[in-house]
């Protein structure tokens, strides 16, 4: 049986240049988790439906379970491990998820935070409807989304330097 040819890939992940040898069929999520040992990016459905594997690639939210590592060669990628502030403190979004109880089991959280981060970069002051639409490609089976929305609103307020006003229920 012929041995599969491996391809050399280089990319920037969380600000660091990385490289590796991969089979052409290696999914980006597997390269991130297995080759780079960055296990915060989760594997859920492997069909792009759940969003657990969402990472940021060259300024776009991408579900890494349906992208090959070779397709990401030369790209800049941010995973959940690269979201914290430079000093190691929680980012506004991470703090929001903590303070507003935006997670329960935590499985969707890395992908949800990466998607929310890109949403806030594209729209720094989203409405509740815009947040719900913005995260609609990421599924959470535990929270009912309300606290995730609050967490993103909290982060938006913090990023914009305004006091977070929780809506009256």
């Amino acid at each position: 049986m012929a041995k599969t040819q491996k391809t050399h890939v280089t990319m920037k992940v969380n600000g660091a240049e990385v490289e590796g040898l991969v089979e052409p069929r290696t999914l980006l999520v597997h390269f991130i988790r297995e080759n780079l040992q960055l296990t915060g990016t989760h594997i859920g459905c492997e069909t792009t439906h759940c969003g657990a594997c969402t990472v940021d690639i060259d300024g776009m939210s991408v579900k890494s379970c349906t992208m090959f590592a070779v397709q990401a060669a030369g790209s800049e990628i941010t995973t959940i491990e690269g979201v914290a502030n430079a000093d190691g403190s929680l980012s506004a979004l991470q703090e929001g998820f903590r303070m507003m109880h935006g997670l329960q089991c935590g499985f969707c959280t890395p992908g949800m935070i990466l998607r929310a981060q890109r949403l806030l970069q594209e729209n720094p002051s989203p409405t509740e409807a815009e947040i719900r639409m913005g995260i609609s490609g990421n599924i959470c089976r535990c929270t009912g989304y309300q606290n995730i929305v609050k967490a993103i609103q909290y982060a938006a307020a913090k990023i914009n330097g305004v006091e977070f006003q929780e809506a009256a229920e």
Side-chain angles (χ1 to χ4, degrees), residues 28-46:
L28 179 59
V29 69
H30 294 299
F31 178 74
I32 290 169
R33 289 180 57 82
E34 296 162 18
N35 293 52
L36 304 181
Q37 301 297 303
L38 298 173
T39 58
T41 302
H42 292 157
I43 300 169
C45 65
E46 295 188 279

Side-chain angles (χ1 to χ4, degrees), residues 55-160:
V55 295
D56 197 86
I57 301 177
D58 296 331
M60 293 186 345
S61 293
V62 174
K63 294 177 181 176
S64 62
C65 74
T66 55
M67 180 177 197
F68 295 114
V70 294
Q71 290 175 290
S75 295
E76 285 198 36
I77 300 172
T78 303
T79 69
I80 192 65
E81 290 87 352
V83 170
N85 295 321
D87 65 2
S89 63
L90 296 179
S91 71
L93 265 167
Q94 291 170 310
E95 183 181 315
F97 271 71
R98 179 175 173 258
M99 298 301 292
M100 297 294 114
H101 309 286
L103 62 122
Q104 285 182 24
C105 84
F107 196 78
C108 74
T109 306
M112 195 69 77
I113 288 176
L114 265 294
R115 177 60 202 129
Q117 178 174 283
R118 174 56 44 203
L119 171 67
L120 291 178
Q121 288 169 339
E122 294 169 356
N123 181 356
S125 299
T127 65
E128 180 179 339
E130 290 169 332
I131 291 171
R132 288 183 181 279
M133 180 56 119
I135 62 171
S136 64
N138 292 63
I139 294 173
C140 175
R141 303 231 185 255
C142 301
T143 66
Y145 300 96
Q146 190 56 41
N147 288 348
I148 291 173
V149 172
K150 283 184 196 175
I152 297 168
Q153 291 170 325
Y154 175 101
K158 184 165 185 166
I159 291 165
N160 291 314

